[in-house]
Amino acid sequence: MEDIKELMLSRTWRIAFIIAALYVDAQNAQVVPALFIFGDSLVDVGNNNHIRLSLLKANFPHNGVDYPGGKATGRFSNGLNSADFLAQKLGFTGSPPPYLSLQGQANINSSIVKGVNFASGGAGILDENSGGSLSTNKQVEYYSTVYGNLVAQLGSAEAEKLVAKSLFLVVIGSNDLFGFFKSNSKLPAKYTPQQYTDLLISTFKGQLERIYNLGARKIATVGVGAIGCCPSQRSQKNKTGDCVEEENNMARNFNAGLKSLLSSQLTPNLQGLTYAFCNTYGVVSSYFQNPSVYGFKDVVNACCGAGKLNGRVACLPVVKYCSNRGEYLFWDLYHPTQIASQMLVDAFYEGSADQVSPINVKQLIST
């Protein structure tokens, strides 16, 4: 009798263990078939490494000091960036690979089936604001090629089904706004701030429509942050070191235009399209207003750099970087630290309506 009890107990424990293991697997399971990423340096995971003539690279120390192995990978961060953290949230074992790293690879089909990252540091909505980077138009062009490869690999119906269930992340616009405010910019002579914002939104509309026409149905768009509060802008354009309000005004106007585009123009006219608008400006503004609440001790200076606010010289191997990186909002002149990127993704993934609307990313992938 005791032997039977012991056997039953051992079986009970084994069953409990299996159920627990299945639960963990379910929690960590990939919740979308693929993740496709478009954007700029905030989500570039190494595309610019493969652009020979580009000066906008981050594949050198001190970038990557907190990345596994302390390796500089081309991410404009001390460690992981938002693309990495979103991939983790979705259950992927790693970020989708940079598109340019796949060129010439024999196993490219097996790589693209779980998604691709097209983002490029320095990219803009407008081609003329993208310099030697992959503009949004070029990124969409490359995605068209990937979609064609998926159709050839899986067949039209299966490729369409995979893409429709996948998540598309788009993080773009900051470089276009920075371009307007450059000291040598010719843009203010051609456009008023409102005309320029309207141009960006109308151009972006066409780009999102092209992605939709190539199968995208779930799109997470990330609004522009408070660009006037970056260490570079504070240090160079404001003697007091305060935020540059003119730049922040344009960021707010761009975000308002993007929200209107999504809700009033695209969703009513593109059948099956669902989206989440990630309110970067609002979330980051809360960090500026109450830094200690979020664990920050410094939301003004860059951790890595030199000059006023560490915002005059980029994060080059010759400069110093802070030891308490988890307490800084900014890693360098423009980019957030690893911890800030993680916090932003947390907010967008399961956040409230003031952080992400009309639904959050977790709800978006469930539609």
Side-chain angles (χ1 to χ4, degrees):
M1 193 68 175
E2 290 300 320
D3 290 342
I4 293 174
K5 286 183 177 179
E6 186 176 340
L7 179 60
M8 291 177 65
L9 184 61
S10 66
R11 285 181 176 174
T12 301
W13 276 108
R14 283 202 300 271
I15 293 169
F17 177 80
I18 291 169
I19 292 172
L22 290 173
Y23 174 78
V24 171
D25 285 344
Q27 291 295 98
N28 295 328
Q30 201 175 295
V31 294
V32 291
L35 172 61
F36 297 96
I37 299 172
F38 304 78
D40 52 31
S41 56
L42 294 171
V43 284
D44 185 353
V45 295
N47 273 308
N48 279 21
N49 294 354
H50 303 275
I51 304 176
R52 188 169 60 87
L53 298 179
S54 174
L55 298 177
L56 296 174
K57 290 183 167 68
N59 56 345
F60 52 81
H62 306 294
N63 297 302
V65 65
D66 295 310
Y67 192 83
K71 182 182 179 182
T73 60
R75 290 165 171 80
F76 295 78
S77 171
N78 57 302
L80 303 177
N81 66 21
S82 295
D84 301 305
F85 288 115
L86 179 59
Q88 287 180 8
K89 288 282 189 185
L90 298 174
F92 289 85
T93 55
S95 279
Y99 175 77
L100 295 182
S101 72
L102 301 175
Q103 304 311 293
Q105 286 192 12
N107 63 341
I108 184 171
N109 284 342
S110 62
S111 299
I112 65 174
V113 76
K114 290 191 175 183
V116 182
N117 187 318
F118 304 96
S120 173
I125 293 170
L126 303 180
D127 290 349
E128 53 264 43
N129 289 334
S130 300
S133 306
L134 305 180
S135 68
T136 307
N137 282 329
K138 177 59 71 173
Q139 292 179 37
V140 176
E141 181 184 321
Y142 283 147
Y143 168 63
S144 177
T145 300
V146 166
Y147 185 76
N149 288 344
L150 288 171
V151 170
Q153 179 184 357
L154 304 174
S156 181
E158 286 303 313
E160 184 178 335
K161 187 186 299 183
L162 179 145
V163 169
K165 292 180 178 179
S166 298
L167 179 65
F168 287 73
L169 175 69
V170 188
V171 185
I172 202 73
S174 295
N175 291 313
D176 295 283
L177 301 190
F178 283 131
F180 188 86
F181 291 103
K182 283 183 178 177
S183 58
N184 60 347
S185 176
K186 297 179 181 179
L187 291 170
K190 295 172 63 177
Y191 308 102
T192 66
Q194 189 59 55
Q195 288 172 335
Y196 184 64
T197 301
D198 292 343
L199 172 63
L200 293 178
I201 296 300
S202 64
T203 305
F204 197 22
K205 177 176 182 285
Q207 293 161 347
L208 292 175
E209 287 173 336
R210 286 170 62 196
I211 294 172
Y212 171 87
N213 290 333
L214 290 164
R217 293 297 180 269
K218 303 174 190 293
I219 302 179
T221 58
V222 178
V224 170
I227 62 169
C229 296
C230 292
S232 64
Q233 308 307 96
R234 286 180 186 255
S235 66
Q236 297 178 42
K237 298 190 176 181
N238 199 324
K239 292 181 179 179
T240 64
D242 292 332
C243 297
V244 183
E245 196 54 33
E246 183 184 11
E247 297 184 6
N248 284 347
N249 281 336
M250 185 176 275
R252 288 191 291 267
N253 288 341
F254 173 84
N255 291 336
L258 177 53
K259 287 186 72 174
S260 177
L261 168 67
L262 292 164
S263 63
S264 303
Q265 298 182 50
L266 294 185
T267 307
N269 297 313
L270 302 180
Q271 184 177 4
L273 177 67
T274 53
Y275 73 92
F277 171 79
C278 303
N279 181 16
T280 309
Y281 193 102
V283 175
V284 173
S285 292
S286 66
Y287 300 161
F288 290 130
Q289 292 163 8
N290 298 292
S292 61
V293 172
Y294 298 95
F296 292 116
K297 288 189 176 179
D298 195 321
V299 295
V300 176
N301 294 275
C303 169
C304 183
K308 183 180 178 181
L309 308 182
N310 280 345
R312 295 290 182 92
V313 179
C315 184
L316 300 170
V318 294
V319 305
K320 294 181 179 180
Y321 61 91
C322 64
S323 59
N324 54 334
R325 296 178 287 284
E327 298 173 343
Y328 274 69
L329 174 57
F330 289 102
W331 165 240
D332 60 14
L333 289 76
Y334 300 104
H335 305 100
T337 52
Q338 173 177 258
I339 187 64
S341 294
Q342 183 177 24
M343 290 168 62
L344 284 167
V345 170
D346 287 344
F348 300 153
Y349 193 75
E350 294 187 85
S352 54
D354 61 321
Q355 298 172 319
V356 53
S357 61
I359 54 178
N360 60 40
V361 174
K362 186 176 183 179
Q363 294 166 330
L364 174 65
I365 61 178
S366 300
T367 57

